[in-house]
Amino acid sequence: MKTKKIIASIILALICLQSSFSYFVTFKEQYYKLFHTHYQQYPDDVMENIYWLEKAVEADFCNPQYALAKIQDEKEWEKYRYLFMMHINLKLIEQHMRLGRTWDKQVAYFYDAPWKEEYLRDLEKAESCYQAGLYYWEEAKLWAEKASAGSFQFLYLTEIQNWEDECYRISVGNLDYEKILNREIKRVQEVKDTFIAMNEETY
């Protein structure tokens, strides 16, 4: 009876010891799984997501057998990598737009004049987030173009159908973040101009 208790204690100790080791994150797919969205995202949540997505961009791909879709040959592996990079850059655009909204003052009201300098600093931050989005859009388009090559014409990775859909929408022009971001940048500039024009007589 004592022997069984000892063995049980040893097994329990080994299980606890194994669970105490930290999870070592190395590959793109692992970093991508750390990216998450909440119903209500605070700036810290968004910045954390940007960090994980940037790490995913820099990291290596895992072995194809651990990919986020079933990979059966080298052609599927090639297209998977292109779609993955496109998708990551699209997510980086979304997160930068979310972060930009944190500081974005949609309208400059006359009674905002006393805090004009603070609002202008915030608008600069918002604009920088939208400008960063334009960089990621160029990257996303590049990877989407690679994934849309003629050699992949009849090849679809159904397990990541949403990535395939994103790629198709970019290729036909239905998804155009450049247009969206430039519209936001133009609006921010107009709000900034309104604030700059304010003086002591405004309020």
Side-chain angles (χ1 to χ4, degrees):
M1 190 70 175
K2 275 187 177 182
T3 306
K4 287 183 179 179
K5 284 184 178 180
I6 292 169
I7 292 171
S9 299
I10 292 171
I11 291 170
L12 183 61
L14 287 171
I15 291 170
C16 291
L17 182 64
Q18 186 178 13
S19 63
S20 67
F21 288 116
S22 60
Y23 179 62
F24 193 63
V25 180
T26 307
F27 301 108
K28 289 182 184 293
E29 289 83 354
Q30 293 172 313
Y31 282 114
Y32 175 68
K33 286 179 180 179
L34 293 172
F35 160 77
H36 56 282
T37 56
H38 304 281
Y39 176 73
Q40 182 168 354
Q41 275 192 294
Y42 295 99
D44 285 349
D45 298 321
V46 178
M47 286 187 277
E48 180 188 350
N49 275 337
I50 290 172
Y51 174 79
W52 294 130
L53 291 169
E54 287 285 8
K55 295 293 283 185
V57 170
E58 296 168 2
D60 294 326
F61 282 98
C62 67
N63 187 288
Q65 63 183 322
Y66 302 117
L68 301 179
K70 186 176 181 180
I71 304 298
Q72 295 181 311
D73 56 44
E74 292 180 3
K75 207 67 184 171
E76 288 184 351
W77 177 233
E78 183 183 2
K79 185 175 186 182
Y80 167 84
R81 298 199 310 274
Y82 296 156
L83 288 173
F84 185 99
M85 292 301 294
M86 174 208 69
H87 181 69
I88 287 289
N89 279 282
L90 290 176
K91 288 301 173 187
L92 278 163
I93 295 169
E94 290 175 9
Q95 293 302 302
H96 276 83
M97 289 186 70
R98 280 179 179 267
L99 190 60
R101 291 190 195 108
T102 304
W103 298 291
D104 196 342
K105 174 75 171 160
Q106 300 287 325
V107 181
Y109 297 104
F110 75 95
Y111 49 75
D112 292 323
W115 303 279
K116 141 180 169 173
E117 296 303 326
E118 289 86 345
Y119 281 128
L120 283 170
R121 283 194 292 271
D122 286 347
L123 287 164
E124 288 289 342
K125 293 176 186 176
E127 186 178 2
S128 68
C129 289
Y130 301 147
Q131 291 285 359
L134 288 174
Y135 166 79
Y136 295 114
W137 174 242
E138 292 302 317
E139 289 293 305
K141 283 195 300 180
L142 174 66
W143 293 109
E145 184 180 353
K146 290 176 179 289
S148 302
S151 56
F152 300 124
Q153 188 174 1
F154 299 107
L155 175 60
Y156 299 98
L157 301 177
T158 55
E159 288 182 83
I160 46 174
Q161 184 62 51
N162 59 317
W163 299 4
E164 292 274 13
D165 292 344
E166 288 170 346
C167 185
Y168 174 76
R169 290 178 63 207
I170 291 173
S171 67
V172 299
N174 287 342
L175 179 58
D176 187 353
Y177 271 115
E178 183 176 1
K179 182 178 179 181
I180 296 168
L181 288 161
N182 280 330
R183 182 184 64 211
E184 293 301 298
I185 291 168
K186 181 183 177 184
R187 180 188 52 74
V188 167
Q189 186 58 54
E190 289 171 353
V191 177
K192 284 166 61 180
D193 291 342
T194 303
F195 273 118
I196 291 168
M198 290 180 179
N199 54 40
E200 61 276 3
E201 297 179 1
T202 303
Y203 177 74

